[in-house]
Amino acid sequence: MKNITIAFLLLCSTFMSGQMYNPVKWKTSVEKISEKEYLLKAQAEIQSGWHLYGQFIEEGGPSRTAFTFKNPNKSFELIGKTTEEKGHEVQDKIFNMEIKYFEDKALFTQKIKFTSDNIANIEAEVEFMVCDDSNCLPPSSEELKFKIPNAPKTAAAEKVNADTTDAIAENETAAKEEIVQKEVKTTVSNPAKKTESRGLISIFIIAFLSGFAALLTPCVFPMIPMTVSFFTKQSKTKVAGIRNAFIYGLSIIIIYFLLGSIVTAVFGADSLNALSTNVWFNLIFFILLVVFACSFLGAFEIMLPNALANKVDSQADRGGLIGIFFMALALAIVSFSCTGPIVGTLLVEAASKGGIAPIVGMLGFSFAIALPFSLFAAFPGWLNALPKSGGWLNTVKVVLGFLELALAFKFLSNADLVLQLHWLEREVFITIWIAVFGVLALYLFGKITLPHDSPLNYISVGRLTFGILVLSFTIYLIPGLWGAPLKLISGFPPPMHYSESPNGIGGSGNTETAGKEALPEGAEYGAQNIITFHDYDKGMAFAKKAGKPVLLDFTGYACVNCRKMEELVWSDPKVLGVLKNDLVLISLYVDDKKELAENEQYVSETTGKKIKTIGNKWSDLQIKTYKANAQPFYVLVDHNSANLAEPSAYNPDIENYYNWLNSGIKNFKK
């Protein structure tokens, strides 16, 4: 009963306090090659959503996986280097280098040869780092033991193993008691789930709006009154007509839902997410979207075989639920020349997010397509309010074609970034977008005509308004050629450093030396030129002197998501103003490899591991105080280290992060 109580309290503590992650489990095995040669295998089992970095990453990037084989008696020698599986290789935009990582599992092998008859079990240590979409854990290490087949066990070895087991048990017991007895004062929300949820909602909304855009194309729009009239005339009662139209709309949703499910099943929930930075896939997507754009612009039409359309159409005459379903399928096939490019683009974008995004995207798209058929069947009088079909439908197609063309260059840019060819640098990308949207503006103003366009005697108010918006957007892009950040399209063009003039033409975009003030003792300039301390005590002493609250920033040199927060959130003017003027920033790097002085090293009360480096010290502080081990992790405290607000983790919502900072400052002033 006592054990059950402890387990229950531990579980409650996990949910109430900062979340602790342990996403990697290591297993070892040994394969015998000859009498003295063996293959040591270390397999990492990685929790879904996390990734482990490879061994061969350049300096300045994430912490790489590294193995150290203990050989005090020089009884064996390593043959070659430790090998690893293929994994995923991407061009990381934050670190500007090629990075290799593993998902789900990773196998590392090392061939050894015993140089004497003293064949015994081998011990090793592996250092590694893992991240997911919202968190990065500090570099960690784990002891590995490789049991050599038929290796003799010495009494000394048995004693060491027994002592190690007892020590681990004592540390675990102490840690459990501390967690149970300690009053929990902080809670940390799970921003990863919030981010994922926001991502799916965004995909649904974009897909829903894309569905409405598809409705306004020549292939779909004229079908609305025709289909609704069919149901109202063929149904014996109004109720039956509404019911049949509802089933028709539901059938459309089911058809596109199945399409999204097939994409997810064929490619896997996360495979296209990994492939989204693959050169060949990005080139294929680029070509695909250019083809879609040319189709919308009037060069040709993308159509499914007529035989398929005729076969499906013949099934629609069967009547009943099956007949209605085949009517919906016939709509999807007949309108494919207009909806196909939109659906294809949505599937590419959604599938690159991984998970169930393709299904969510198709649900949003199909719901927008199905909604008008059901509503107009229920209220036939609304049909009179619909505008008549005409040349404006082709204008919608052309506008979508220009948008497809602009989006295509994003995929070409991804391929260029991975290969580091510098063919499509930031200025070139922005120039292409200026040209695309500039030509679109000319088209909307009637200065350019394309195939299938009707004669334009005058420009409607709606077309003029949209043309002005496009022209305004084009003008907005122009300063980007001189280093303007262009936050409206953040994430689309290549990063600032991937350009002919990383600091802007004439250095106008360089903020590294702008607006700096004298540094306090022990401080330095950090991200966004914010004065920051890397030493906890010095930072707290300055905060007391300045009379300001403190922002503890548990971060890492190799933390990708930390850099994202600094570049996307901290750069916001109002957030930056608070960080520079109203707070004292203390950035504690959990992957700092500098060793502590011998008298400062200690064994952690929480983990039982020896704290040897500065990074170990800050990581242990985070774990012990806040029961969290992921970065980025932000805590607002007063001069007595008491929390001023609930700690925050990765949170790309600028407004939310700004409000969180202000809440802590207000509590400090009370």
Side-chain angles (χ1 to χ4, degrees):
M1 184 66 185
K2 180 181 178 182
N3 292 336
I4 295 175
T5 304
I6 292 175
F8 175 74
L9 290 173
L10 283 170
L11 184 64
C12 291
S13 177
T14 300
F15 281 97
M16 292 174 65
S17 62
Q19 187 167 356
M20 293 288 294
Y21 298 97
N22 185 24
V24 179
K25 302 292 183 184
W26 290 91
K27 291 184 178 180
T28 61
S29 60
V30 177
E31 178 184 330
K32 186 175 182 180
I33 301 175
S34 65
E35 285 301 317
K36 290 191 175 183
E37 290 184 337
Y38 295 86
L39 190 65
L40 310 183
K41 299 180 179 180
Q43 179 162 303
E45 295 184 352
I46 309 164
Q47 203 173 92
S48 177
W50 293 82
H51 54 267
L52 170 76
Y53 292 104
Q55 300 176 95
F56 311 109
I57 296 178
E58 298 176 16
E59 291 293 332
S63 295
R64 51 181 174 246
T65 300
F67 290 86
T68 304
F69 294 90
K70 300 178 182 180
N71 190 14
N73 299 323
K74 308 295 181 183
S75 59
F76 65 90
E77 62 182 16
L78 303 179
I79 302 176
K81 295 181 179 180
T82 304
T83 63
E84 61 187 24
E85 295 179 304
K86 187 175 181 181
H88 303 286
E89 296 185 8
V90 300
Q91 181 65 31
D92 190 277
K93 296 179 182 179
I94 299 297
F95 293 104
N96 193 26
M97 66 172 64
E98 190 171 271
I99 289 176
K100 183 177 181 180
Y101 65 90
F102 302 94
E103 293 178 327
D104 299 326
K105 63 180 180 179
L107 179 64
F108 302 87
T109 58
Q110 174 65 58
K111 189 177 180 180
I112 67 159
K113 180 180 180 181
F114 283 97
T115 55
S116 66
D117 294 331
N118 185 22
I119 298 177
N121 294 335
I122 295 176
E123 294 184 353
E125 182 181 36
V126 57
E127 293 187 4
F128 59 95
M129 179 177 178
V130 291
C131 292
D132 68 0
D133 289 339
S134 300
N135 304 287
C136 282
L137 303 188
S140 183
S141 63
E142 188 149 336
E143 298 289 334
L144 303 177
K145 292 186 178 181
F146 298 91
K147 295 183 179 180
I148 305 299
N150 303 320
K153 293 183 179 180
T154 62
E158 292 285 357
K159 184 178 185 305
V160 170
N161 288 339
D163 292 344
T164 303
T165 302
D166 292 342
I168 292 174
E170 289 177 6
N171 286 329
E172 288 181 348
T173 302
K176 288 179 181 179
E177 289 176 354
E178 180 183 0
I179 293 174
V180 171
Q181 293 173 4
K182 185 171 182 177
E183 179 183 1
V184 179
K185 295 182 179 179
T186 62
T187 60
V188 184
S189 58
N190 189 342
K193 292 182 178 178
K194 291 180 180 178
T195 303
E196 180 182 357
S197 176
R198 283 196 296 266
L200 292 177
I201 292 173
S202 298
I203 289 171
F204 183 87
I205 293 173
I206 292 172
F208 185 78
L209 295 176
S210 300
F212 273 125
L215 278 171
L216 302 177
T217 57
C219 313
V220 182
F221 188 80
M223 300 287 289
I224 297 175
M226 291 171 55
T227 306
V228 172
S229 297
F230 173 82
F231 283 125
T232 54
K233 290 178 181 178
Q234 294 297 320
S235 304
K236 295 180 180 180
T237 63
K238 183 178 179 180
V239 174
I242 295 174
R243 184 192 65 229
N244 291 337
F246 174 78
I247 296 172
Y248 180 74
L250 184 61
S251 299
I252 294 174
I253 294 175
I254 292 173
I255 289 167
Y256 285 103
F257 171 80
L258 291 174
L259 179 60
S261 300
I262 290 171
V263 170
T264 303
V266 170
F267 292 103
D270 297 301
S271 60
L272 277 181
N273 184 27
L275 289 170
S276 62
T277 52
N278 179 278
V279 174
W280 293 110
F281 269 77
N282 276 285
L283 289 176
I284 291 171
F285 294 159
F286 167 71
I287 294 171
L288 193 64
L289 293 186
V290 169
V291 171
F292 289 161
C294 291
S295 173
F296 272 153
L297 293 175
F300 50 82
E301 285 193 357
I302 302 173
M303 298 183 66
L304 293 176
N306 288 328
L308 177 61
N310 294 334
K311 188 174 182 179
V312 171
D313 191 52
S314 65
Q315 296 295 318
D317 297 330
R318 297 175 58 178
L321 296 178
I322 296 177
I324 294 175
F325 177 82
F326 276 100
M327 280 187 65
L329 185 57
L331 170 69
I333 294 173
V334 171
S335 64
F336 185 79
S337 60
C338 291
T339 60
I342 300 175
V343 170
T345 305
L346 281 174
L347 286 175
V348 167
E349 278 292 296
S352 65
K353 307 294 183 185
I356 61 170
I359 298 175
V360 173
M362 289 300 94
L363 280 175
F365 179 84
S366 60
F367 187 70
I369 293 286
L371 189 61
F373 291 97
S374 299
L375 287 178
F376 284 118
F379 307 100
W382 290 4
L383 289 172
N384 297 325
L386 283 179
K388 294 181 180 180
S389 299
W392 67 273
L393 291 175
N394 188 67
T395 302
V396 173
K397 274 187 66 175
V398 171
V399 170
L400 291 175
F402 278 105
L403 295 178
E404 293 268 1
L405 189 60
L407 182 60
F409 283 95
K410 170 58 181 171
F411 292 97
L412 185 61
S413 172
N414 288 342
D416 182 62
L417 280 167
V418 172
L419 294 174
Q420 287 291 289
L421 297 175
H422 287 266
W423 288 352
L424 197 62
E425 292 180 317
R426 185 178 176 89
E427 293 91 343
V428 178
F429 183 96
I430 294 172
T431 299
I432 292 172
W433 268 38
I434 290 172
V436 170
F437 286 101
V439 173
L440 174 57
L442 291 175
Y443 172 80
L444 291 171
F445 291 138
K447 302 300 181 182
I448 295 174
T449 57
L450 292 171
H452 311 302
D453 277 339
S454 301
L456 187 64
N457 298 320
Y458 63 91
I459 299 176
S460 66
V461 174
R463 182 165 178 160
L464 178 64
T465 303
F466 189 63
I468 292 173
L469 289 175
V470 173
L471 180 60
S472 300
F473 179 70
T474 306
I475 296 172
Y476 167 81
L477 294 175
I478 294 175
L481 299 174
W482 286 269
L486 303 181
K487 290 188 178 182
L488 281 180
I489 58 170
S490 177
F492 279 91
M496 290 291 294
H497 62 77
Y498 196 79
S499 64
E500 295 178 3
S501 304
N503 296 323
I505 295 176
S508 59
N510 186 1
T511 58
E512 291 300 315
T513 58
K516 290 188 174 181
E517 56 184 281
L519 283 170
E521 183 180 355
E524 62 182 65
Y525 286 106
Q528 305 296 334
N529 293 326
I530 302 169
I531 295 176
T532 182
F533 292 84
H534 291 177
D535 182 273
Y536 182 87
D537 294 329
K538 290 181 179 179
M540 291 299 291
F542 178 78
K544 290 179 182 178
K545 183 179 178 181
K548 296 179 180 179
V550 173
L551 174 62
L552 295 180
D553 168 30
F554 288 95
T555 184
Y557 293 110
C559 173
V560 176
N561 295 305
C562 303
R563 301 294 85 78
K564 288 181 181 178
M565 286 291 293
E566 292 163 3
E567 290 184 10
L568 300 178
V569 179
W570 287 14
S571 61
D572 181 79
K574 57 185 178 184
V575 173
L576 188 58
V578 172
L579 293 174
K580 281 189 172 183
N581 303 318
D582 303 328
L583 294 164
V584 173
L585 177 64
I586 303 178
S587 296
L588 305 176
Y589 287 81
V590 300
D591 54 359
D592 192 330
K593 298 294 185 182
K594 294 176 185 175
E595 286 204 3
L596 294 166
E598 190 69 29
N599 61 341
E600 294 180 358
Q601 296 183 12
Y602 63 96
V603 176
S604 170
E605 298 176 1
T606 308
T607 64
K609 294 182 179 180
K610 187 171 183 180
I611 305 302
K612 298 183 291 185
T613 67
I614 293 176
N616 293 157
K617 178 181 177 181
W618 302 138
S619 179
D620 187 54
L621 174 67
Q622 182 186 358
I623 293 171
K624 182 179 179 181
T625 309
Y626 304 105
K627 300 296 180 293
N629 66 338
Q631 291 77 47
F633 189 82
Y634 308 105
V635 191
L636 288 164
V637 298
D638 62 16
H639 302 153
N640 297 316
S641 300
N643 286 10
L644 296 171
E646 175 184 311
S648 175
Y650 177 74
N651 182 8
D653 187 326
I654 293 175
E655 195 66 31
N656 185 275
Y657 191 81
Y658 174 72
N659 292 335
W660 173 76
L661 290 174
N662 280 329
S663 68
I665 294 171
K666 288 179 182 178
N667 289 334
F668 176 78
K669 293 178 179 179
K670 288 181 179 179

